[in-house]
Amino acid sequence: MVASPRERRAWLESLAGWIDAYPLDLETVEDDRLLRDRAARNLILQVTDRTGCGSGWHGHSHQVLTRFLDHWAVAPDVAEELVEQAIGGRFLSWTGPDAALVDDVAERPAGSLRPDDRARSAEPLPDHLER
């Protein structure tokens, strides 16, 4: 019982590190496509490695990619739509994606972002790990 919350916290801290490693500036988003593609690709690979592509791993991948965009102030509805369009049933439980599929999924949200996709709130997003 003690190990599970610790394991979950370690996973969340690891994800936070990966998300912070790939800053996303919506003002230069069109020039930073390679960085954005790499960020999404690495986040997907972190999820596949962590989950072993078991039952529902694709839902967690969706959640992680959406959180990445949310963290960098992409409007929540835009983030959700971009990730849904990118994954949209292409990942399946118990089946790991091949490299070409990961690359294609990673390119989709990044290629569709625009500077005006910023969240409208001036308040910073809550940092649940910090709390």
Side-chain angles (χ1 to χ4, degrees):
M1 299 233 327
V2 173
S4 181
R6 287 183 184 158
E7 183 179 322
R8 177 80 174 152
R9 180 179 177 95
W11 170 235
L12 292 174
E13 288 174 351
S14 173
L15 278 177
W18 280 99
I19 288 170
D20 286 340
Y22 295 100
L24 179 65
D25 182 355
L26 289 176
E27 295 305 316
T28 61
V29 74
E30 294 169 351
D31 298 329
D32 298 337
R33 184 177 177 121
L34 183 62
L35 180 64
R36 293 174 290 131
D37 290 358
R38 182 169 300 270
R41 182 180 184 281
N42 284 339
L43 288 169
I44 292 167
L45 293 177
Q46 288 298 309
V47 172
T48 62
D49 183 55
R50 181 66 176 206
T51 64
C53 299
S55 177
W57 76 269
H58 47 84
H60 190 49
S61 187
H62 186 285
Q63 183 181 38
V64 167
L65 290 176
T66 303
R67 177 64 185 125
F68 169 73
L69 295 172
D70 286 344
H71 179 78
W72 296 111
V74 174
D77 58 328
V78 172
E80 179 66 33
E81 182 180 337
L82 291 174
V83 173
E84 182 57 36
Q85 288 174 356
I87 295 176
R90 299 171 72 201
F91 291 160
L92 304 172
S93 290
W94 306 107
T95 304
D98 62 29
L101 178 57
V102 171
D103 288 344
D104 188 53
V105 168
E107 290 173 4
R108 288 179 181 224
S112 301
L113 278 172
R114 301 290 173 253
D116 60 341
D117 289 335
R118 180 171 308 284
R120 302 295 176 225
S121 173
E123 296 177 29
L125 295 172
D127 186 342
H128 298 291
L129 285 176
E130 190 68 31
R131 188 185 73 198

